[in-house]
mmCIF file of all heavy atoms in Angstrom:
data_model
loop_
_atom_site.group_PDB
_atom_site.id
_atom_site.type_symbol
_atom_site.label_atom_id
_atom_site.label_comp_id
_atom_site.label_asym_id
_atom_site.label_seq_id
_atom_site.Cartn_x
_atom_site.Cartn_y
_atom_site.Cartn_z
ATOM 1 N N ASP A 89 -5.002 23.334 -20.962
ATOM 2 C CA ASP A 89 -5.653 24.042 -21.957
ATOM 3 C C ASP A 89 -6.895 24.737 -21.434
ATOM 4 O O ASP A 89 -7.165 25.876 -21.746
ATOM 5 C CB ASP A 89 -6.103 23.006 -23.030
ATOM 6 C CG ASP A 89 -4.975 22.605 -23.909
ATOM 7 O OD1 ASP A 89 -4.001 23.386 -24.059
ATOM 8 O OD2 ASP A 89 -5.104 21.527 -24.551
ATOM 9 N N ALA A 90 -7.702 24.034 -20.605
ATOM 10 C CA ALA A 90 -8.925 24.663 -20.104
ATOM 11 C C ALA A 90 -8.591 25.846 -19.069
ATOM 12 O O ALA A 90 -9.356 26.830 -19.140
ATOM 13 C CB ALA A 90 -9.759 23.639 -19.334
ATOM 14 N N TYR A 91 -7.516 25.733 -18.332
ATOM 15 C CA TYR A 91 -7.276 26.686 -17.339
ATOM 16 C C TYR A 91 -6.558 27.978 -17.928
ATOM 17 O O TYR A 91 -6.851 28.998 -17.563
ATOM 18 C CB TYR A 91 -6.395 26.029 -16.262
ATOM 19 C CG TYR A 91 -6.160 26.866 -15.039
ATOM 20 C CD1 TYR A 91 -7.169 27.134 -14.124
ATOM 21 C CD2 TYR A 91 -4.855 27.310 -14.736
ATOM 22 C CE1 TYR A 91 -6.948 27.826 -13.013
ATOM 23 C CE2 TYR A 91 -4.687 28.080 -13.569
ATOM 24 C CZ TYR A 91 -5.641 28.324 -12.702
ATOM 25 O OH TYR A 91 -5.461 29.054 -11.573
ATOM 26 N N TYR A 92 -5.565 27.734 -18.853
ATOM 27 C CA TYR A 92 -4.837 28.876 -19.358
ATOM 28 C C TYR A 92 -5.204 29.290 -20.781
ATOM 29 O O TYR A 92 -5.234 30.498 -20.974
ATOM 30 C CB TYR A 92 -3.252 28.438 -19.363
ATOM 31 C CG TYR A 92 -2.752 28.238 -17.996
ATOM 32 C CD1 TYR A 92 -2.319 26.972 -17.569
ATOM 33 C CD2 TYR A 92 -2.511 29.317 -17.084
ATOM 34 C CE1 TYR A 92 -1.723 26.924 -16.277
ATOM 35 C CE2 TYR A 92 -2.037 29.229 -15.857
ATOM 36 C CZ TYR A 92 -1.600 27.956 -15.475
ATOM 37 O OH TYR A 92 -1.046 27.744 -14.210
ATOM 38 N N PHE A 93 -5.474 28.436 -21.648
ATOM 39 C CA PHE A 93 -5.665 28.785 -23.013
ATOM 40 C C PHE A 93 -7.213 28.991 -23.415
ATOM 41 O O PHE A 93 -7.566 29.579 -24.354
ATOM 42 C CB PHE A 93 -5.064 27.782 -23.983
ATOM 43 C CG PHE A 93 -3.568 27.820 -24.039
ATOM 44 C CD1 PHE A 93 -2.876 26.655 -23.919
ATOM 45 C CD2 PHE A 93 -2.871 29.032 -24.161
ATOM 46 C CE1 PHE A 93 -1.483 26.683 -23.915
ATOM 47 C CE2 PHE A 93 -1.521 28.998 -24.195
ATOM 48 C CZ PHE A 93 -0.824 27.905 -24.084
ATOM 49 N N LYS A 94 -7.990 28.362 -22.591
ATOM 50 C CA LYS A 94 -9.501 28.320 -22.929
ATOM 51 C C LYS A 94 -9.792 27.693 -24.270
ATOM 52 O O LYS A 94 -10.740 27.995 -24.878
ATOM 53 C CB LYS A 94 -10.150 29.698 -22.797
ATOM 54 C CG LYS A 94 -9.729 30.444 -21.565
ATOM 55 C CD LYS A 94 -10.403 29.867 -20.340
ATOM 56 C CE LYS A 94 -10.225 30.776 -19.166
ATOM 57 N NZ LYS A 94 -9.107 30.578 -18.280
ATOM 58 N N ALA A 95 -8.821 26.898 -24.787
ATOM 59 C CA ALA A 95 -9.024 26.191 -26.073
ATOM 60 C C ALA A 95 -8.405 24.763 -25.911
ATOM 61 O O ALA A 95 -7.422 24.581 -25.295
ATOM 62 C CB ALA A 95 -8.252 26.952 -27.165
ATOM 63 N N MET A 96 -9.043 23.801 -26.499
ATOM 64 C CA MET A 96 -8.613 22.419 -26.339
ATOM 65 C C MET A 96 -7.767 21.955 -27.361
ATOM 66 O O MET A 96 -7.868 22.343 -28.575
ATOM 67 C CB MET A 96 -9.802 21.495 -26.301
ATOM 68 C CG MET A 96 -10.786 21.723 -25.067
ATOM 69 S SD MET A 96 -9.853 21.599 -23.608
ATOM 70 C CE MET A 96 -10.534 22.961 -22.721
ATOM 71 N N GLY A 97 -6.759 21.198 -27.046
ATOM 72 C CA GLY A 97 -5.943 20.513 -28.040
ATOM 73 C C GLY A 97 -4.478 20.936 -28.158
ATOM 74 O O GLY A 97 -3.654 20.337 -28.799
ATOM 75 N N ILE A 98 -4.091 22.124 -27.440
ATOM 76 C CA ILE A 98 -2.725 22.574 -27.612
ATOM 77 C C ILE A 98 -1.838 21.816 -26.707
ATOM 78 O O ILE A 98 -0.892 21.130 -27.118
ATOM 79 C CB ILE A 98 -2.660 24.096 -27.362
ATOM 80 C CG1 ILE A 98 -3.452 24.876 -28.422
ATOM 81 C CG2 ILE A 98 -1.281 24.532 -27.309
ATOM 82 C CD1 ILE A 98 -3.548 26.374 -28.172
ATOM 83 N N VAL A 99 -2.016 21.873 -25.400
ATOM 84 C CA VAL A 99 -1.091 21.236 -24.466
ATOM 85 C C VAL A 99 -1.454 19.790 -24.332
ATOM 86 O O VAL A 99 -0.491 18.990 -24.037
ATOM 87 C CB VAL A 99 -1.095 21.933 -23.114
ATOM 88 C CG1 VAL A 99 -0.154 21.397 -22.113
ATOM 89 C CG2 VAL A 99 -0.838 23.449 -23.279
ATOM 90 N N VAL A 100 -2.657 19.338 -24.666
ATOM 91 C CA VAL A 100 -3.036 17.908 -24.699
ATOM 92 C C VAL A 100 -2.054 17.134 -25.626
ATOM 93 O O VAL A 100 -1.607 16.086 -25.374
ATOM 94 C CB VAL A 100 -4.455 17.757 -25.055
ATOM 95 C CG1 VAL A 100 -4.780 16.209 -25.423
ATOM 96 C CG2 VAL A 100 -5.443 18.213 -24.049
ATOM 97 N N PHE A 101 -1.764 17.815 -26.626
ATOM 98 C CA PHE A 101 -0.823 17.265 -27.746
ATOM 99 C C PHE A 101 0.639 17.429 -27.293
ATOM 100 O O PHE A 101 1.459 16.493 -27.514
ATOM 101 C CB PHE A 101 -1.136 18.050 -29.044
ATOM 102 C CG PHE A 101 -0.281 17.652 -30.212
ATOM 103 C CD1 PHE A 101 -0.433 16.429 -30.734
ATOM 104 C CD2 PHE A 101 0.660 18.459 -30.640
ATOM 105 C CE1 PHE A 101 0.345 16.075 -31.885
ATOM 106 C CE2 PHE A 101 1.475 18.225 -31.731
ATOM 107 C CZ PHE A 101 1.337 16.997 -32.313
ATOM 108 N N ILE A 102 0.976 18.560 -26.747
ATOM 109 C CA ILE A 102 2.404 18.871 -26.528
ATOM 110 C C ILE A 102 2.979 18.148 -25.381
ATOM 111 O O ILE A 102 4.058 17.538 -25.483
ATOM 112 C CB ILE A 102 2.634 20.426 -26.349
ATOM 113 C CG1 ILE A 102 2.208 21.221 -27.594
ATOM 114 C CG2 ILE A 102 4.028 20.778 -25.884
ATOM 115 C CD1 ILE A 102 2.105 22.693 -27.414
ATOM 116 N N LEU A 103 2.316 18.014 -24.302
ATOM 117 C CA LEU A 103 2.956 17.463 -23.008
ATOM 118 C C LEU A 103 3.293 15.938 -23.227
ATOM 119 O O LEU A 103 4.454 15.579 -22.951
ATOM 120 C CB LEU A 103 1.915 17.527 -21.839
ATOM 121 C CG LEU A 103 2.069 18.806 -20.970
ATOM 122 C CD1 LEU A 103 1.099 18.700 -19.746
ATOM 123 C CD2 LEU A 103 3.501 19.091 -20.511
ATOM 124 N N PRO A 104 2.451 15.132 -23.805
ATOM 125 C CA PRO A 104 2.903 13.693 -23.951
ATOM 126 C C PRO A 104 4.000 13.563 -24.954
ATOM 127 O O PRO A 104 4.915 12.753 -24.726
ATOM 128 C CB PRO A 104 1.643 13.011 -24.490
ATOM 129 C CG PRO A 104 0.530 13.792 -23.980
ATOM 130 C CD PRO A 104 0.923 15.244 -24.038
ATOM 131 N N LEU A 105 4.029 14.430 -25.917
ATOM 132 C CA LEU A 105 5.176 14.428 -26.912
ATOM 133 C C LEU A 105 6.501 14.810 -26.256
ATOM 134 O O LEU A 105 7.537 14.279 -26.521
ATOM 135 C CB LEU A 105 4.840 15.284 -28.161
ATOM 136 C CG LEU A 105 3.843 14.720 -29.103
ATOM 137 C CD1 LEU A 105 3.523 15.619 -30.225
ATOM 138 C CD2 LEU A 105 4.271 13.302 -29.707
ATOM 139 N N LEU A 106 6.412 15.827 -25.372
ATOM 140 C CA LEU A 106 7.604 16.288 -24.658
ATOM 141 C C LEU A 106 8.099 15.167 -23.779
ATOM 142 O O LEU A 106 9.290 14.951 -23.597
ATOM 143 C CB LEU A 106 7.367 17.489 -23.882
ATOM 144 C CG LEU A 106 7.289 18.746 -24.787
ATOM 145 C CD1 LEU A 106 6.974 20.060 -23.896
ATOM 146 C CD2 LEU A 106 8.673 19.060 -25.412
ATOM 147 N N TYR A 107 7.120 14.412 -23.155
ATOM 148 C CA TYR A 107 7.533 13.323 -22.285
ATOM 149 C C TYR A 107 8.284 12.251 -23.057
ATOM 150 O O TYR A 107 9.289 11.730 -22.688
ATOM 151 C CB TYR A 107 6.317 12.748 -21.582
ATOM 152 C CG TYR A 107 6.549 11.480 -20.865
ATOM 153 C CD1 TYR A 107 7.188 11.500 -19.560
ATOM 154 C CD2 TYR A 107 6.063 10.278 -21.269
ATOM 155 C CE1 TYR A 107 7.394 10.368 -18.839
ATOM 156 C CE2 TYR A 107 6.306 9.109 -20.543
ATOM 157 C CZ TYR A 107 6.947 9.077 -19.310
ATOM 158 O OH TYR A 107 7.137 8.015 -18.652
ATOM 159 N N LEU A 108 7.700 11.888 -24.214
ATOM 160 C CA LEU A 108 8.341 10.921 -25.098
ATOM 161 C C LEU A 108 9.707 11.437 -25.562
ATOM 162 O O LEU A 108 10.711 10.660 -25.729
ATOM 163 C CB LEU A 108 7.404 10.505 -26.287
ATOM 164 C CG LEU A 108 6.085 9.876 -25.803
ATOM 165 C CD1 LEU A 108 5.247 9.788 -27.073
ATOM 166 C CD2 LEU A 108 6.343 8.594 -25.121
ATOM 167 N N PHE A 109 9.789 12.692 -25.914
ATOM 168 C CA PHE A 109 11.054 13.355 -26.343
ATOM 169 C C PHE A 109 12.093 13.173 -25.171
ATOM 170 O O PHE A 109 13.283 12.755 -25.507
ATOM 171 C CB PHE A 109 10.857 14.785 -26.631
ATOM 172 C CG PHE A 109 12.129 15.592 -26.796
ATOM 173 C CD1 PHE A 109 12.906 15.485 -27.905
ATOM 174 C CD2 PHE A 109 12.537 16.462 -25.810
ATOM 175 C CE1 PHE A 109 14.120 16.213 -28.066
ATOM 176 C CE2 PHE A 109 13.766 17.230 -25.893
ATOM 177 C CZ PHE A 109 14.449 17.122 -27.039
ATOM 178 N N VAL A 110 11.710 13.459 -24.016
ATOM 179 C CA VAL A 110 12.723 13.307 -22.830
ATOM 180 C C VAL A 110 13.049 11.847 -22.621
ATOM 181 O O VAL A 110 14.301 11.594 -22.426
ATOM 182 C CB VAL A 110 12.105 13.919 -21.523
ATOM 183 C CG1 VAL A 110 13.018 13.587 -20.426
ATOM 184 C CG2 VAL A 110 11.894 15.403 -21.728
ATOM 185 N N LEU A 111 12.107 10.941 -22.788
ATOM 186 C CA LEU A 111 12.463 9.521 -22.635
ATOM 187 C C LEU A 111 13.514 9.115 -23.731
ATOM 188 O O LEU A 111 14.528 8.463 -23.413
ATOM 189 C CB LEU A 111 11.222 8.642 -22.799
ATOM 190 C CG LEU A 111 10.289 8.534 -21.601
ATOM 191 C CD1 LEU A 111 9.127 7.718 -21.968
ATOM 192 C CD2 LEU A 111 10.939 8.063 -20.395
ATOM 193 N N PHE A 112 13.290 9.623 -24.902
ATOM 194 C CA PHE A 112 14.238 9.309 -26.045
ATOM 195 C C PHE A 112 15.592 9.917 -25.767
ATOM 196 O O PHE A 112 16.593 9.182 -25.859
ATOM 197 C CB PHE A 112 13.689 9.852 -27.409
ATOM 198 C CG PHE A 112 14.589 9.671 -28.511
ATOM 199 C CD1 PHE A 112 14.778 8.431 -29.066
ATOM 200 C CD2 PHE A 112 15.372 10.741 -28.903
ATOM 201 C CE1 PHE A 112 15.658 8.170 -30.169
ATOM 202 C CE2 PHE A 112 16.231 10.565 -29.972
ATOM 203 C CZ PHE A 112 16.365 9.364 -30.591
ATOM 204 N N VAL A 113 15.677 11.156 -25.397
ATOM 205 C CA VAL A 113 16.921 11.815 -25.086
ATOM 206 C C VAL A 113 17.652 11.045 -23.923
ATOM 207 O O VAL A 113 18.882 10.826 -24.037
ATOM 208 C CB VAL A 113 16.813 13.336 -24.813
ATOM 209 C CG1 VAL A 113 18.124 13.960 -24.313
ATOM 210 C CG2 VAL A 113 16.304 14.033 -26.092
ATOM 211 N N LEU A 114 17.003 10.828 -22.934
ATOM 212 C CA LEU A 114 17.607 10.234 -21.753
ATOM 213 C C LEU A 114 18.023 8.746 -21.982
ATOM 214 O O LEU A 114 18.919 8.232 -21.358
ATOM 215 C CB LEU A 114 16.774 10.270 -20.485
ATOM 216 C CG LEU A 114 16.484 11.656 -19.972
ATOM 217 C CD1 LEU A 114 15.581 11.676 -18.746
ATOM 218 C CD2 LEU A 114 17.852 12.392 -19.668
ATOM 219 N N SER A 115 17.425 8.103 -23.016
ATOM 220 C CA SER A 115 17.826 6.776 -23.323
ATOM 221 C C SER A 115 19.115 6.782 -24.144
ATOM 222 O O SER A 115 19.882 5.823 -24.300
ATOM 223 C CB SER A 115 16.752 6.060 -24.138
ATOM 224 O OG SER A 115 16.577 6.572 -25.448
ATOM 225 N N LYS A 116 19.364 7.928 -24.903
ATOM 226 C CA LYS A 116 20.584 8.029 -25.704
ATOM 227 C C LYS A 116 21.701 8.738 -24.943
ATOM 228 O O LYS A 116 22.859 8.425 -25.327
ATOM 229 C CB LYS A 116 20.246 8.837 -26.993
ATOM 230 C CG LYS A 116 19.137 8.243 -27.864
ATOM 231 C CD LYS A 116 19.566 6.950 -28.362
ATOM 232 C CE LYS A 116 18.448 6.456 -29.220
ATOM 233 N NZ LYS A 116 18.644 5.000 -29.566
ATOM 234 N N LEU A 117 21.454 9.557 -24.031
ATOM 235 C CA LEU A 117 22.552 10.307 -23.290
ATOM 236 C C LEU A 117 22.507 9.965 -21.881
ATOM 237 O O LEU A 117 21.430 9.783 -21.249
ATOM 238 C CB LEU A 117 22.279 11.888 -23.512
ATOM 239 C CG LEU A 117 22.315 12.341 -24.906
ATOM 240 C CD1 LEU A 117 21.916 13.838 -24.954
ATOM 241 C CD2 LEU A 117 23.728 12.184 -25.504
ATOM 242 N N ARG A 118 23.634 9.936 -21.248
ATOM 243 C CA ARG A 118 23.742 9.696 -19.854
ATOM 244 C C ARG A 118 23.394 10.952 -19.146
ATOM 245 O O ARG A 118 23.778 12.064 -19.463
ATOM 246 C CB ARG A 118 25.174 9.333 -19.504
ATOM 247 C CG ARG A 118 25.270 8.658 -18.108
ATOM 248 C CD ARG A 118 26.620 8.344 -17.740
ATOM 249 N NE ARG A 118 27.463 9.495 -17.688
ATOM 250 C CZ ARG A 118 28.665 9.613 -17.782
ATOM 251 N NH1 ARG A 118 29.415 8.574 -18.022
ATOM 252 N NH2 ARG A 118 29.315 10.768 -17.681
ATOM 253 N N GLN A 119 22.576 10.822 -18.100
ATOM 254 C CA GLN A 119 22.012 12.021 -17.396
ATOM 255 C C GLN A 119 23.141 12.715 -16.560
ATOM 256 O O GLN A 119 23.896 11.956 -15.858
ATOM 257 C CB GLN A 119 20.932 11.574 -16.405
ATOM 258 C CG GLN A 119 19.997 12.715 -16.102
ATOM 259 C CD GLN A 119 18.781 12.263 -15.322
ATOM 260 O OE1 GLN A 119 18.526 11.065 -15.180
ATOM 261 N NE2 GLN A 119 18.093 13.246 -14.763
ATOM 262 N N SER A 120 23.336 13.913 -16.796
ATOM 263 C CA SER A 120 24.267 14.822 -16.085
ATOM 264 C C SER A 120 23.624 16.182 -15.929
ATOM 265 O O SER A 120 22.651 16.506 -16.474
ATOM 266 C CB SER A 120 25.596 14.801 -16.839
ATOM 267 O OG SER A 120 25.444 15.543 -18.043
ATOM 268 N N LEU A 121 24.371 16.996 -15.199
ATOM 269 C CA LEU A 121 23.867 18.384 -14.993
ATOM 270 C C LEU A 121 23.721 19.180 -16.402
ATOM 271 O O LEU A 121 22.749 19.781 -16.638
ATOM 272 C CB LEU A 121 24.850 19.238 -14.119
ATOM 273 C CG LEU A 121 24.475 20.708 -13.867
ATOM 274 C CD1 LEU A 121 23.062 20.795 -13.234
ATOM 275 C CD2 LEU A 121 25.635 21.409 -13.090
ATOM 276 N N PHE A 122 24.735 19.011 -17.255
ATOM 277 C CA PHE A 122 24.697 19.631 -18.544
ATOM 278 C C PHE A 122 23.624 19.087 -19.427
ATOM 279 O O PHE A 122 22.781 19.852 -20.068
ATOM 280 C CB PHE A 122 26.025 19.427 -19.247
ATOM 281 C CG PHE A 122 26.154 20.134 -20.648
ATOM 282 C CD1 PHE A 122 26.249 21.520 -20.668
ATOM 283 C CD2 PHE A 122 26.152 19.324 -21.776
ATOM 284 C CE1 PHE A 122 26.259 21.995 -21.919
ATOM 285 C CE2 PHE A 122 26.228 19.970 -22.999
ATOM 286 C CZ PHE A 122 26.284 21.304 -23.061
ATOM 287 N N VAL A 123 23.374 17.708 -19.424
ATOM 288 C CA VAL A 123 22.305 17.191 -20.250
ATOM 289 C C VAL A 123 20.954 17.576 -19.729
ATOM 290 O O VAL A 123 20.038 17.921 -20.466
ATOM 291 C CB VAL A 123 22.463 15.642 -20.223
ATOM 292 C CG1 VAL A 123 21.171 14.913 -20.825
ATOM 293 C CG2 VAL A 123 23.673 15.204 -21.064
ATOM 294 N N ASP A 124 20.728 17.564 -18.370
ATOM 295 C CA ASP A 124 19.553 18.002 -17.755
ATOM 296 C C ASP A 124 19.220 19.454 -18.094
ATOM 297 O O ASP A 124 18.101 19.761 -18.474
ATOM 298 C CB ASP A 124 19.604 17.876 -16.244
ATOM 299 C CG ASP A 124 19.723 16.474 -15.764
ATOM 300 O OD1 ASP A 124 19.638 15.522 -16.563
ATOM 301 O OD2 ASP A 124 19.934 16.304 -14.562
ATOM 302 N N PHE A 125 20.233 20.318 -18.050
ATOM 303 C CA PHE A 125 20.015 21.742 -18.371
ATOM 304 C C PHE A 125 19.613 21.811 -19.827
ATOM 305 O O PHE A 125 18.685 22.567 -20.157
ATOM 306 C CB PHE A 125 21.366 22.468 -18.146
ATOM 307 C CG PHE A 125 21.387 23.920 -18.573
ATOM 308 C CD1 PHE A 125 20.751 24.838 -17.748
ATOM 309 C CD2 PHE A 125 21.965 24.275 -19.713
ATOM 310 C CE1 PHE A 125 20.701 26.132 -18.182
ATOM 311 C CE2 PHE A 125 21.982 25.621 -20.146
ATOM 312 C CZ PHE A 125 21.388 26.492 -19.407
#
Side-chain angles (χ1 to χ4, degrees):
D89 283 337
Y91 190 67
Y92 292 111
F93 290 131
K94 312 291 187 266
M96 297 303 138
I98 295 175
V99 183
V100 169
F101 177 70
I102 296 171
L103 271 183
L105 286 178
L106 283 176
Y107 173 74
L108 296 173
F109 167 75
V110 173
L111 285 178
F112 175 77
V113 169
L114 293 180
S115 72
K116 301 295 180 195
L117 300 173
R118 194 178 68 200
Q119 201 171 350
S120 68
L121 177 64
F122 182 70
V123 169
D124 294 355
F125 175 78

